Amino acid sequence: MLNFELYNPTNLVFGKGQIEKLQTLVPKDAKILLAYGGGSIFKNGIYDQVKTALKGFEIVEFGGIEPNPHFETLMKAVEIIKEQKIDFILAVGGGSVIDGVKFISAAVHYEGNPMEILQKRILITDLSKVIPFGTVLTLPATGSEMNSGAVVTIEATHEKLAFGGSALFPKFSICDPTVIASLPKRQLQNGVVDAFTHVMEQYLTYPHEGYLQDRLAESILQTLLEIGPKVVENPTDYALASNFMWSCTMALNGLIQKGVPTDWATHMIGHELTALYGIDHARTLAVIAPSLYKVMFETKKGKLAQYGKRVFNLTGNDDEIAKEAINKTVEFFHTMGMETKLSDYTKDFSKTADFIVNRFDERGWKGLGEKQNITLEKVKSIVEMSY
Ligand code: NZQ
Ligand code: ZN
């Protein structure tokens, strides 16, 4: 097993009715920026619950954080925080609002142009230089509620860039599974597939000695396979909703990646498809992952065979199992309502592979994946195979 440090200071407050606890979770006397997205919280009653729980606090509201949050939008919140001397941020939303708040938190005291946080991928580690924040999660998917990473889009340059650091864990996150009742099917499908792929990025590498991590990863995959299609049809079923929400958090709160190699190339390529075409994050993963597993078959076949045997109960020889495991994954994505070809989302794809390869080249990304052997040539093949 590889050496590791496990640090996760987020106080995760899980279950029905937990939004009430905001009253004690938010620091006394804090002046709060309540950040939210396009307004779903007004329709499903979450805004009212939050406001009731925060009676007595001074609150400034900032709405309009879009899916795949924009640097340009977030900078407006940074100005408000400076002007109004706000000392705590509450993110009420999905991954986009939470990621947006992580950027706002880091940008307020950043010395220099905050765009550098994204373009130079500045690591944010100094707790004295960030605005503390908490979250009320409304969409299980990203794990952003219990990790210190985020992804922000620069609208002007169409770049979608990841950043983070140990100072960007939420102080607390309230995860009430009943909030998923109002999610459109598309977002429920996205959530299941995003979480599933998060596990795959940290699991589907090569055989190693992280036996416990493998078993943990497989258990999350099996849970998502079992409940995913059902939760889309029955989001008010509490057993399904709570297992869905907890699986999404566990998929990307750092635990299963400790001491093991990780890939993340599906995400890196997928972010480009969102930046170029506005395709939902999870849907880009369903487009890229199957091609990536095929192009990187030799590197990944040991683990693909393990995945096939343990997660899908496949039998036969390892090569056959490994291939069939990819088919089963695609089948699952289809069951979850995902298209798995780029041409299902855009007709204007013929230059996509070259565009992405050029971008990676400019950024100096020569080799991605757990063995850094996903060369630019391989990226090109992966994207072209996904057309
Ligand atoms: O904006 P509002 O009106 O709230 O509507 C949102 C949005 O339109 C809606 N929604 C959220 N909760 C709802 C709801 N509608 C009804 N009822 C509710 N309870 O859902 C839409 C999508 O929301 P969004 O936050 O964009 O979705 P998601 O949580 O999937 O987040 C995606 C973003 O997270 C990033 C992605 O790249 C993308 O930008 N990711 C963040 C990660 C992280 N921080 O660790 C990891 C992920 O891999 C991912 O990259
Ligand atoms: Zn993701």
Side-chain angles (χ1 to χ4, degrees), residues 67-68 158 186 271-281 284 345:
N68 310 303
H158 289 277
R186 177 175 133 203
H271 288 332
E272 298 303 317
L273 298 183
T274 302
L276 282 169
Y277 304 112
I279 304 169
D280 290 355
H281 170 63
T284 70
Y345 294 99

Coordinates of all heavy atoms in Angstrom, one line a residue, residues 67-68 158 186 271-281 284 345:
P67 N -25.0 26.2 -13.4 CA -24.3 24.9 -13.4 C -23.0 25.1 -14.1 O -22.9 25.9 -15.1 CB -25.3 24.0 -14.3 CG -26.6 24.7 -14.1 CD -26.3 26.1 -14.0
N68 N -21.9 24.4 -13.7 CA -20.6 24.6 -14.2 C -20.2 26.1 -13.9 O -20.1 26.8 -14.9 CB -20.4 24.2 -15.7 CG -21.0 22.9 -16.0 OD1 -20.5 21.9 -15.4 ND2 -21.9 22.8 -16.9
H158 N -13.5 29.7 -22.3 CA -14.1 28.4 -22.4 C -13.2 27.3 -21.8 O -13.0 26.2 -22.3 CB -14.4 28.0 -23.8 CG -15.6 28.8 -24.4 ND1 -16.9 28.4 -24.1 CD2 -15.6 29.9 -25.1 CE1 -17.7 29.3 -24.7 NE2 -16.9 30.2 -25.3
R186 N -33.2 13.7 -15.0 CA -31.9 13.9 -15.6 C -30.8 14.1 -14.5 O -29.7 13.6 -14.6 CB -32.0 15.1 -16.5 CG -30.7 15.5 -17.2 CD -30.9 16.6 -18.2 NE -29.8 17.6 -18.0 CZ -30.0 18.9 -18.4 NH1 -31.1 19.3 -19.0 NH2 -29.0 19.7 -18.2
H271 N -14.2 17.2 -18.8 CA -14.3 18.7 -18.6 C -14.2 19.5 -19.9 O -14.9 20.5 -20.0 CB -13.3 19.2 -17.6 CG -13.5 18.7 -16.2 ND1 -14.7 18.4 -15.7 CD2 -12.6 18.5 -15.2 CE1 -14.6 18.0 -14.4 NE2 -13.3 18.0 -14.1
E272 N -13.4 19.0 -20.8 CA -13.2 19.7 -22.1 C -14.6 19.6 -22.9 O -14.9 20.6 -23.5 CB -12.1 19.1 -22.9 CG -10.7 19.3 -22.2 CD -10.4 20.7 -21.9 OE1 -10.6 21.6 -22.7 OE2 -9.9 20.9 -20.7
L273 N -15.2 18.5 -22.8 CA -16.5 18.4 -23.5 C -17.6 19.3 -22.9 O -18.4 19.9 -23.7 CB -17.0 17.0 -23.5 CG -16.1 15.9 -24.2 CD1 -16.8 14.5 -24.1 CD2 -15.8 16.3 -25.6
T274 N -17.6 19.5 -21.6 CA -18.5 20.5 -21.0 C -18.1 21.9 -21.4 O -18.9 22.7 -21.8 CB -18.5 20.4 -19.5 OG1 -18.8 19.0 -19.1 CG2 -19.5 21.3 -18.8
A275 N -16.8 22.2 -21.4 CA -16.3 23.5 -21.7 C -16.7 23.8 -23.2 O -17.1 24.9 -23.5 CB -14.8 23.6 -21.5
L276 N -16.6 22.8 -24.1 CA -16.8 23.1 -25.5 C -18.3 23.1 -25.9 O -18.7 23.9 -26.7 CB -16.1 22.0 -26.3 CG -14.6 22.1 -26.5 CD1 -14.1 20.8 -27.1 CD2 -14.3 23.3 -27.4
Y277 N -19.0 22.1 -25.3 CA -20.4 21.9 -25.8 C -21.5 22.1 -24.7 O -22.7 21.9 -25.0 CB -20.5 20.5 -26.4 CG -19.6 20.2 -27.5 CD1 -18.6 19.3 -27.3 CD2 -19.6 20.9 -28.7 CE1 -17.6 19.0 -28.3 CE2 -18.7 20.6 -29.7 CZ -17.7 19.7 -29.5 OH -16.8 19.4 -30.5
G278 N -21.1 22.4 -23.5 CA -22.0 22.5 -22.4 C -22.7 21.2 -22.0 O -23.8 21.2 -21.4
I279 N -22.2 20.1 -22.3 CA -22.8 18.8 -22.0 C -22.7 18.6 -20.4 O -21.6 18.9 -19.9 CB -22.1 17.6 -22.7 CG1 -22.1 17.8 -24.2 CG2 -22.7 16.3 -22.3 CD1 -21.2 16.9 -25.0
D280 N -23.7 18.1 -19.8 CA -23.7 17.9 -18.3 C -22.5 17.0 -18.0 O -22.1 16.1 -18.7 CB -24.9 17.0 -17.9 CG -26.2 17.8 -18.0 OD1 -26.2 19.0 -18.3 OD2 -27.3 17.2 -17.7
H281 N -21.9 17.4 -16.8 CA -20.7 16.7 -16.4 C -20.7 15.2 -16.5 O -19.9 14.6 -17.1 CB -20.3 17.2 -15.0 CG -19.2 16.4 -14.3 ND1 -17.9 16.4 -14.8 CD2 -19.2 15.6 -13.3 CE1 -17.2 15.6 -14.1 NE2 -17.9 15.1 -13.1
T284 N -20.7 13.6 -19.9 CA -19.3 13.6 -20.6 C -18.6 12.4 -20.1 O -17.8 11.8 -20.9 CB -18.5 14.8 -20.3 OG1 -18.1 14.9 -18.9 CG2 -19.2 16.1 -20.6
Y345 N -24.8 14.1 -28.6 CA -24.9 15.4 -28.0 C -24.7 16.6 -28.9 O -25.1 17.7 -28.7 CB -24.0 15.5 -26.8 CG -24.4 14.5 -25.7 CD1 -23.7 13.3 -25.5 CD2 -25.5 14.8 -24.8 CE1 -24.1 12.4 -24.5 CE2 -25.8 14.0 -23.8 CZ -25.2 12.8 -23.7 OH -25.5 11.9 -22.7

